[in-house]
């Protein structure tokens, strides 16, 4: 089955293709999830966290990557930015153990790879002055290093918004650049 989209599509990079093949070999598992919990102590403003995450998605085309099958092969494209409303869960009464069980459960849930976002952000409250963001990104668009960069961008943008600064994260480079450089290198 071949799908079409109105945006330019790109082949998977060599490393993405390896991840794709692993995904197909162990389909329905969480083997390619990269999860992180970013905790906030002190004032937690969930409206600003929502705004922070939306700014991040708007400015990072890799997070807007989607995969489809075209002519029998997986390809990806960058979807347009659409504002999201992320769920908020309250663990005020569950304690650390309850939060840990929830984090482990979310980490084990597979991320659908075709035609859907390759990330999941979930906000949570652990007390009157604490909470955070659970971050799960598929390895096909992220690795440990880029996950750390995402966390840093979230923290930096949130703090700027919290203290009244105009937070506009820099536009992240699109993955197209990597694909083009890889194809030139292979050629």
């Amino acid at each position: 089955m071949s799908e079409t989209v109105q945006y330019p599509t790109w082949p998977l990079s060599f490393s993405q293709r390896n991840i794709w093949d692993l995904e197909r070999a162990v389909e329905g598992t969480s083997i390619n999830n990269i999860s992180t919990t970013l905790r906030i102590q002190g004032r937690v403003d969930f409206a600003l966290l929502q705004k922070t995450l939306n700014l991040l998605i708007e400015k990072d085309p890799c997070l807007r990557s989607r995969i489809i099958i075209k002519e029998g092969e997986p390809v990806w494209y960058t979807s347009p930015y659409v504002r999201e409303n992320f769920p908020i869960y309250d663990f005020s009464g569950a304690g650390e153990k309850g939060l840990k069980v929830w984090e482990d459960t979310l980490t084990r849930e597979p991320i659908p790879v075709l035609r859907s976002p390759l990330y999941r952000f979930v906000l949570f409250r652990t007390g009157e002055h604490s909470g955070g963001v659970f971050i799960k990104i598929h390895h096909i668009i992220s690795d440990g290093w880029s996950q750390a960069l995402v966390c840093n961008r979230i923290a930096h943008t949130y703090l700027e918004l919290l203290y009244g600064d105009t937070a506009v994260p820099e536009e992240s480079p699109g993955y197209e650049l990597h694909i083009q450089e890889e194809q030139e290198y292979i050629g």
Side-chain angles (χ1 to χ4, degrees):
M1 178 179 153
S2 190
E3 300 177 63
T4 59
V5 292
Q6 59 189 14
Y7 312 104
T9 60
W10 299 87
L12 300 183
S13 70
F14 182 74
S15 57
Q16 283 179 316
R17 188 61 195 228
N18 285 335
I19 295 165
W20 172 264
D21 291 342
L22 178 60
E23 184 75 23
R24 299 283 69 51
V26 290
E27 204 163 359
T29 71
S30 60
I31 195 165
N32 286 310
N33 290 352
I34 300 175
S35 299
T36 308
T37 301
L38 184 61
R39 295 200 178 203
I40 300 169
Q41 297 295 322
R43 180 178 168 205
V44 182
D45 185 325
F46 288 101
L48 288 184
L49 272 175
Q50 295 277 356
K51 184 175 182 177
T52 297
L53 295 174
N54 275 289
L55 282 169
L56 181 71
I57 292 166
E58 180 181 13
K59 296 295 185 179
D60 191 337
C62 288
L63 288 174
R64 297 192 318 272
S65 297
R66 303 293 184 270
I67 296 177
I68 60 169
I69 302 297
K70 184 176 179 181
E71 299 173 8
E73 291 295 319
V75 296
W76 67 269
Y77 67 95
T78 301
S79 67
Y81 166 70
V82 176
R83 188 186 181 292
E84 294 188 46
N85 191 22
F86 301 99
I88 304 170
Y89 293 94
D90 191 341
F91 290 92
S92 299
E96 281 298 313
K97 187 174 182 178
L99 181 64
K100 177 75 172 121
V101 168
W102 176 75
E103 290 170 327
D104 290 346
T105 301
L106 283 184
T107 297
R108 287 189 185 98
E109 291 176 0
I111 296 174
V113 179
L114 291 174
R115 299 172 302 281
S116 63
L118 296 167
Y119 61 83
R120 183 161 184 210
F121 296 116
V122 183
L123 310 180
F124 62 90
R125 177 187 321 275
T126 53
E128 188 175 335
H129 298 290
S130 59
V133 182
F134 174 83
I135 303 158
K136 179 167 63 173
I137 303 177
H138 198 283
H139 188 36
I140 209 158
I141 63 166
S142 183
D143 59 16
W145 179 253
S146 55
Q147 187 88 343
L149 294 175
V150 166
C151 289
N152 289 341
R153 290 184 83 195
I154 290 170
H156 180 78
T157 304
Y158 174 73
L159 288 172
E160 282 187 338
L161 289 171
L162 188 65
Y163 293 109
D165 294 334
T166 304
V168 180
E170 288 184 26
E171 186 87 23
S172 293
Y175 207 71
E176 298 91 352
L177 179 62
H178 172 71
I179 296 292
Q180 290 168 343
E181 289 175 349
E182 182 182 77
Q183 288 174 348
E184 286 174 17
Y185 177 77
I186 291 171

